[in-house]
Amino acid sequence: MTERDVGCLASPAMRRRLRAAPLLALLTLLAVPLEARASTDDAAEDVEMLDNVFGPRVVRVPVGGTVEWTNVGRARHNVTADDGSYASDDLEPGDGFVRTFTTEGAFPYFCSLHGTPGAGMSGVVLAGEAPLPGAGSGVGPGRETPPGLPGGEIRVPEDAPSIQSAVDAAEPGGLVLISPGVYEEAVVVTTPFLTIRGTDRNAVILDGRFRLDNGIAVIEADGVTIENLTARHYLLNGFLWQSVFGYRGSFLTAFNDGAYGLFAYDSVYGQFDHSYASGHPDSGFYVGQCFPCHSVVTDVLAENNALGFSGTNAGGELFVVNSEWRDNMSGIVPNTLDSEELAPQREAVIAGNWVHDNNNEDAPAFDLQYPSFGIGILVNGGRGNLVTQNLVEDHVNFGIALLASPDEQVWLTEGNEVRGNLVRSSGDADLALGAPAAGGDCFDANAFATSLPPAIEWRNGCGSPLARIAGGSLGMVIGPLERYLDAAFGEVEVGDWRSQPPPPPQESMPGAEGAPPDPAIAEVAVPQRVQIRDARALGVPAPTDVSQEVTVLGMPIAASWWGVLVGLYAYALPLILYTAWVSIALWDLVRQEAVPNRTRILWMLAVLVIPLFGPIAYYVFGRSPIQRSLRIALVAGGLAIYAAITALAIALGT
């Protein structure tokens, strides 16, 4: 049993935050379609060292895979193998440690400063197909066989003193029934097909005391249902399902946890319903790294989170429907990142939702979440998603927006369909398509007042040949870029997840105490047909201050024919100018026979390869025979005309 110690790193990336900022700046300058391919290292896993837990506590890598631990806490921590085979130095905040695991097995470890083997700050690395210590044989996604009979009932605290002891004693198919009380524990579930249920949603409370990692973590155990209880004050997540085949969370409340409320990762055939999440610096509800997911999020309420819903690289029979998303920093954000497998995000359905007032500056947030502030529904680097029958209103930036996701690769939106939504009272635009985009994004039959680019359902209508052409507005990129930079330079003040207000009492599960076990059997746990309401017909009164203006590059112009013409011209003029600069520069170089070919070729490369500054540099330093006054008119005059058009657009909008 050997593993190779790679050693300590100076300052590895923490939480993958802000590395997209310089890429987004480059994206803004280039504004050309890029082919993106996934580059995720499937053999590497990241573990964060918080004060005083490892997150995640359990990771699995292939044989030969590596684990990188990073100290993101405020105290020193270390990584020490239970069997003494390796140990890191004491790591200061920001330092890291990497180890490669070359043989199959389970490798438990702990921090010698804040734990002991199996207790306190401890974790385990699973290499290859090794089972989790304490789990039954043959476990793992899709391997367990559903039980034929209920596995009995264990009551807490009547039959077992703690939830963990009851879970450990329960048989597959059994019910763990929890009486009212505050339970200060972090429960790990490795037994499949359990039903874990509180008798009173608001009185059965798991409390992490800002010290424990997850309220209930289901690790590689299929078919586990958790229902009718509350989790609060955990350093990571309220409820977690990781690498499972069949899951359900119903009538759950999660608030003021350090990452997510309800979190499903690398898991399929699942459902979140009749649940509530608030006070999370990432998202209230999360479904990630699954395709096809075969999962449903329905009849939930998310408020006071950084994001209401987040779904990284998740899609394929994934339905986010019939729910309310309000008073978060942003509402629903499916996204693509290289940091998880299965990129790009694709083929989710977002329908029947009421998404409103997601402009909460006091919500907790990590820096990666902050740039999406003030957006109702944001498809970030996704493809082939359907956004329909939603009511989206009262957002300071955008109602529904499609925008590229710059990560290790630049993931462009492509083939998304925004159809039949009611979008109103948006500060910048009700509907928006960011540039660059890969083409095929389309908008049709929406009720809206403003768009970027202007006349979006004409330019990018579903079924229109123009929709197949890559395009969009650079103007909508500027706001997210500014927020990235604000976060990068520490100029953002957000709320503290530890001190967010608690939620009011939530509806309890009917008949909770007498209902039989109800495990989440895969392929039957998720309804075969998802009924989607039409949120446009909810009867919500329209705001009285709805703007009827058209916006161009973030600037409002009047909703008149003259205003629309000015807006379209302002949108197209930068492209016209740039095309003219490049064309005239190349023509000028071709006709300069007295100039050495090598010099001409180098200037041609500069004009073609260096955006914007290439042709300008040629006009200034290239000794062009074009008269100096004409060159000044071409460059400075063109910019002056654009400034005049911008001023006219603003004037028409006042």
Side-chain angles (χ1 to χ4, degrees):
M1 183 182 301
T2 61
E3 304 92 58
R4 186 170 66 256
D5 186 356
V6 180
C8 292
L9 301 177
S11 294
M14 290 182 237
R15 287 190 181 271
R16 309 182 296 273
R17 312 298 183 194
L18 287 180
R19 67 184 179 192
L23 284 170
L24 187 55
L26 178 62
L27 180 68
T28 303
L29 289 175
L30 293 178
V32 294
L34 304 174
E35 182 65 30
R37 296 189 303 270
S39 63
T40 302
D41 184 356
D42 295 343
E45 289 288 342
D46 297 325
V47 177
E48 293 179 335
M49 309 165 79
L50 297 97
D51 302 328
N52 294 313
V53 298
F54 291 103
R57 196 191 313 186
V58 180
V59 295
R60 183 179 293 277
V61 295
V63 174
T66 62
V67 176
E68 178 180 341
W69 290 267
T70 304
N71 186 353
V72 300
R74 292 172 292 182
R76 291 185 301 165
H77 299 294
N78 61 44
V79 180
T80 304
D82 281 13
D83 62 6
S85 60
Y86 66 87
S88 74
D89 296 332
D90 291 346
L91 305 176
E92 299 292 337
D95 289 346
F97 175 74
V98 174
R99 191 168 185 83
T100 299
F101 294 83
T102 59
T103 59
E104 185 168 277
F107 303 99
Y109 64 90
F110 65 102
C111 170
S112 66
L113 302 176
H114 304 100
T116 58
M121 189 172 178
S122 60
V124 62
V125 176
L126 304 175
E129 298 298 318
L132 185 66
S137 61
V139 299
R143 298 179 188 171
E144 294 101 344
T145 301
L149 296 172
E153 177 180 302
I154 300 177
R155 298 183 69 101
V156 181
E158 292 84 353
D159 302 324
S162 67
I163 302 173
Q164 185 67 67
S165 62
V167 165
D168 292 342
E171 296 292 332
L175 170 65
V176 174
L177 191 62
I178 309 166
S179 297
V182 177
Y183 298 85
E184 296 178 349
E185 52 182 310
V187 180
V188 176
V189 182
T190 58
T191 301
F193 304 109
L194 292 183
T195 300
I196 303 171
R197 180 189 303 152
T199 58
D200 186 322
R201 176 178 180 177
N202 301 295
V204 178
I205 300 172
L206 283 81
D207 191 343
R209 298 172 297 156
F210 305 113
R211 299 178 185 176
L212 304 177
D213 53 353
N214 302 291
I216 300 180
V218 182
I219 308 296
E220 298 186 350
D222 293 348
V224 174
T225 290
I226 307 172
E227 54 193 7
N228 208 45
L229 48 84
T230 294
R232 70 186 184 194
H233 305 164
Y234 286 90
L235 294 176
L236 295 176
N237 313 297
F239 303 97
L240 163 68
W241 289 260
Q242 178 179 322
S243 301
V244 304
F245 201 76
Y247 64 92
R248 182 165 60 82
S250 301
F251 293 94
L252 297 177
T253 298
F255 71 95
N256 294 16
D257 303 300
Y260 301 88
L262 277 67
F263 183 95
Y265 173 77
D266 187 32
S267 299
V268 297
Y269 288 105
Q271 179 164 313
F272 294 149
D273 64 86
H274 298 93
S275 294
Y276 173 95
S278 70
H280 299 98
D282 212 300
S283 62
F285 295 87
Y286 178 91
V287 177
Q289 192 178 295
C290 54
F291 188 89
C293 297
H294 301 295
S295 298
V296 176
V297 179
T298 184
D299 296 292
V300 303
L301 171 59
E303 62 182 350
N304 201 34
N305 307 283
L307 315 176
F309 171 86
S310 176
T312 300
N313 302 354
E317 296 295 313
L318 171 61
F319 299 88
V320 182
V321 300
N322 305 340
S323 298
E324 184 176 0
W325 315 86
R326 70 186 185 200
D327 295 316
N328 305 285
M329 277 196 172
S330 54
I332 300 174
V333 187
N335 58 85
T336 299
L337 289 174
D338 292 294
S339 51
E340 293 187 12
E341 299 177 28
L342 305 180
Q345 184 280 325
R346 59 201 188 277
E347 298 178 28
V349 176
I350 301 169
N353 298 285
W354 183 21
V355 187
H356 63 102
D357 298 285
N358 292 287
N359 316 301
N360 189 347
E361 296 179 328
D362 297 322
F366 297 128
D367 46 20
L368 187 62
Q369 281 65 41
Y370 178 71
S372 60
F373 170 82
I375 302 177
I377 299 175
L378 172 61
V379 176
N380 192 208
R383 300 178 181 179
N385 298 286
L386 173 62
V387 182
T388 186
Q389 295 181 209
N390 301 285
L391 171 58
V392 184
E393 58 184 354
D394 294 309
H395 293 97
V396 298
N397 291 317
F398 303 106
I400 300 176
L402 312 180
L403 183 63
S405 176
D407 197 34
E408 294 176 2
Q409 308 292 321
V410 179
W411 295 96
L412 307 183
T413 61
E414 180 179 2
N416 299 288
E417 184 175 334
V418 180
R419 179 189 294 273
N421 302 278
L422 172 55
V423 190
R424 59 195 185 192
S425 193
S426 305
D428 292 334
D430 291 332
L431 303 177
L433 172 61
D441 296 311
C442 74
F443 300 77
D444 187 62
N446 299 284
F448 70 104
T450 57
S451 71
L452 283 176
I456 197 167
E457 291 198 347
W458 175 76
R459 298 182 69 258
N460 296 89
C462 297
S464 168
L466 293 176
R468 293 194 292 269
I469 302 173
S473 169
L474 282 176
M476 70 162 296
V477 179
I478 302 303
L481 173 59
E482 290 177 354
R483 289 188 287 276
Y484 266 110
L485 297 178
D486 286 343
F489 291 104
E491 297 178 359
V492 176
E493 293 185 6
V494 298
D496 184 350
W497 62 270
R498 295 172 177 83
S499 58
Q500 296 299 309
Q506 301 295 309
E507 176 191 5
S508 261
M509 173 183 171
E513 191 156 359
D518 188 16
I521 308 299
E523 302 185 30
V524 299
V526 180
Q528 296 300 306
R529 293 180 59 86
V530 179
Q531 298 296 322
I532 298 174
R533 70 182 181 184
D534 190 343
R536 299 171 298 179
L538 289 177
V540 178
T544 59
D545 59 345
V546 176
S547 171
Q548 295 299 317
E549 296 170 333
V550 177
T551 59
V552 175
L553 299 181
M555 299 173 296
I557 65 174
S560 64
W561 282 109
W562 285 110
V564 171
L565 289 174
V566 170
L568 289 171
Y569 186 60
Y571 175 75
L573 184 57
L575 300 178
I576 296 171
L577 282 174
Y578 186 61
T579 301
W581 290 347
V582 171
S583 301
I584 293 173
L586 293 176
W587 169 79
D588 194 37
L589 285 165
V590 168
R591 70 190 184 95
Q592 291 192 56
E593 297 180 357
V595 177
N597 284 340
R598 181 179 179 183
T599 301
R600 287 196 289 175
I601 291 172
L602 289 175
W603 273 117
M604 286 180 179
L605 287 174
V607 167
L608 290 170
V609 173
I610 304 175
L612 187 63
F613 298 104
I616 292 177
Y618 171 71
Y619 292 130
V620 176
F621 303 109
R623 298 183 180 180
S624 169
I626 299 175
Q627 292 182 11
R628 182 170 179 269
S629 59
L630 295 178
R631 282 182 278 144
I632 292 174
L634 180 63
V635 177
L639 294 175
I641 292 172
Y642 182 65
I645 294 294
T646 299
L648 179 59
I650 295 173
L652 287 173
T654 57

